Every structure is written in structure tokens, then in C-alpha cells.
Amino acid sequence: MSRILIIEDEKKIARFLELELLHEGYDVATANDGRTGLEKALSWNPDLLILDLMLPELSGIEVCRRLRHESDVPIIMLTAKDDVSDKVMGLDMGADDYMTKPFAIEELLARIRVCLKKRVRAAQQSAPACLTAGLLKLDAASYSVSYDGSPIALTKKEFDLLKYLMQHRGQAVTRDALLSDVWGYDYSGDTNVVDVYIRYLRHKIDEPFGIKSIHTIRAVGYMFSHE
Ligand code: CA
């Protein structure tokens, strides 16, 4: 479940965005001034920021500039209609995208999806080639998985799923997130396929070696963890 922080002083807009994003299934927090927003961005560790530029306490540009010292979280700026210089400055300060007010919510939602996807891809590319959890070892370079040195034969999809779960170890991941990030389906479709593949993985990894690595998180999805 991706976390989105909204920093916007116009409370009506902030509330509207919050409701829309909650409805889309995101985890949402809001801040109504730049200083609080910056603090929240650093402490709450969001996956994406929606940042209004005209803010009290600390301007959006300043929030962006300071945040970039600490974090590469995607930032979508909200700007007033014809403020070209603000847009340019914001992009120069490291914002990823901008929306001009007033905007259509569908467009913002689409841009959010693009930003989040890019982030996932970047994280996957920079991820270490070898992932280990206890005696379980996954080598992305050679597409091999082993437990205590014994090779485990996985299909490509099982491998991708296990890799994703291991990369997100300790985090509950939703079936929708797995469908979109592992299968590449861009919709909330039939998630049965996820359950089927989880069963395959448990059958090949947990059962033969007597471990419990893939946990069911009720009403959410799955979590990889290994003591
Ligand atoms: Ca404002």
C-alpha cells in the first residue's frame, strides 16, 4: 500500500485529494503548511508527495529543495495557472512532475501511478543481485534459488514473485500490488492468480524445508519474513 503525503494549505483541496486517494486504496497523510509538511515527509517516509507551491511557513520550492538533501521520494507539484517560473524552479529543485490548478483528478491519479511505477522500477534495478533470508538464497543474476545449498527449481513467475516478496521483506504487500508489480496488470483484476502462485511457492520452499517464510496477512495480502 503506497503512502502519499499531501502538503496543501487550502483545506478543501487537501480534504478532496485525501478522500480521492483513500478511495484509490492509498495510505494518506496531509499537512497544511510547508514546515509541518517537510517534517512529516522526513518522519513518515511516504512513497510520493503532492506538494502545493504556495504554502505558509515554508514555500513548496523550499520544501522541495530541503527534502532533496535527504530523499528521492517522487514529488508532484501543484501550481497556479500561469506560474511558469514557479514550475521551472520546482522542476529545477528536483520535483518530478507538476499539475496546474484546477486539474482533473483522473489526470493526477494517472500521474501518481506513473511516478510510483517508476520508483518501483528504479528500486528493482538498484536492488542487490543476491537476496538472502536465513538459509534461503536468491540470486537475481543467475535466476537461481537455493536453500542451504540445495537448488530449488522455480518457474520464471514464481521466481519474480519470490524476489518481489524478499525485496519487501517485513512488509505486508497487497494482492493488487503483486498483480501490478509482478504480473504487470494495471488494474484491480482477478487476484486468484496471486494466491495460486503463493501456494506453489509455499509448496516448493516452506513445506520441503519446514520453514514458514510466506505469511498470509488477513484482508491485506502476504508478507515475507524469516526469523
Ligand atoms: Ca496554496
Side-chain angles (χ1 to χ4, degrees):
M1 208 174 299
S2 295
R3 300 171 153 205
I4 299 181
L5 173 61
I6 302 163
I7 310 179
E8 164 65 85
D9 59 320
E10 281 168 76
K11 294 206 168 117
K12 259 162 95 175
I13 297 183
R15 182 69 183 141
F16 167 69
L17 289 176
E18 184 183 16
L19 290 175
E20 289 287 340
L21 294 175
L22 284 171
H23 180 74
E24 292 296 311
Y26 295 113
D27 203 352
V28 186
T30 58
N32 298 124
D33 67 76
R35 194 169 301 280
T36 315
L38 180 63
E39 280 163 16
K40 213 163 213 166
L42 293 171
S43 61
W44 191 52
N45 200 19
D47 297 298
L48 185 138
L49 224 74
I50 295 173
L51 175 64
D52 184 36
L53 283 192
M54 298 283 281
L55 289 170
E57 302 285 325
L58 212 58
S59 77
I61 297 283
E62 194 52 26
V63 171
C64 195
R65 196 182 66 79
R66 295 195 195 178
L67 194 59
R68 275 296 173 251
H69 291 302
E70 315 271 339
S71 147
D72 61 354
V73 60
I75 298 174
I76 299 179
M77 303 181 292
L78 302 180
T79 69
K81 201 162 191 292
D82 293 316
D83 228 333
V84 177
S85 63
D86 268 359
K87 284 173 201 162
V88 171
M89 212 190 301
L91 293 171
D92 280 347
M93 285 302 160
D96 297 82
D97 203 352
Y98 64 82
M99 292 288 296
T100 302
K101 291 185 199 174
F103 51 82
I105 186 69
E106 290 77 17
E107 186 179 353
L108 178 64
L109 293 174
R111 287 177 188 231
I112 287 172
R113 285 194 294 271
V114 169
C115 275
L116 289 173
K117 232 169 217 173
K118 266 194 215 152
R119 185 170 164 82
V120 168
R121 229 173 285 141
Q124 283 169 346
Q125 274 159 9
S126 65
C130 254
L131 297 165
T132 55
L135 297 172
L136 185 68
K137 187 173 166 194
L138 179 147
D139 184 348
S142 63
Y143 267 94
S144 61
V145 177
S146 62
Y147 187 85
D148 198 11
S150 311
I152 302 169
L154 296 183
T155 65
K156 168 86 166 62
K157 205 45 90 183
E158 291 165 355
F159 182 90
D160 290 344
L161 177 59
L162 179 63
K163 184 170 130 196
Y164 187 88
L165 289 169
M166 288 179 80
Q167 282 171 337
H168 294 80
R169 63 191 292 174
Q171 300 171 24
V173 288
T174 63
R175 289 177 177 81
D176 283 345
L178 290 168
L179 260 192
S180 120
D181 294 342
V182 177
W183 274 265
Y185 297 161
D186 196 13
Y187 61 91
S188 303
D190 180 9
T191 55
N192 281 341
V193 62
V194 174
D195 301 318
V196 169
Y197 272 83
I198 290 284
R199 211 147 58 225
Y200 292 160
L201 277 184
R202 283 178 170 153
H203 184 64
K204 288 184 176 180
I205 293 167
D206 285 6
E207 289 164 24
F209 300 105
I211 56 173
K212 190 152 173 44
S213 63
I214 300 168
H215 304 262
T216 304
I217 309 296
R218 256 196 82 179
V220 178
Y222 296 100
M223 182 172 81
F224 183 94
S225 74
H226 192 268
E227 27 321 300

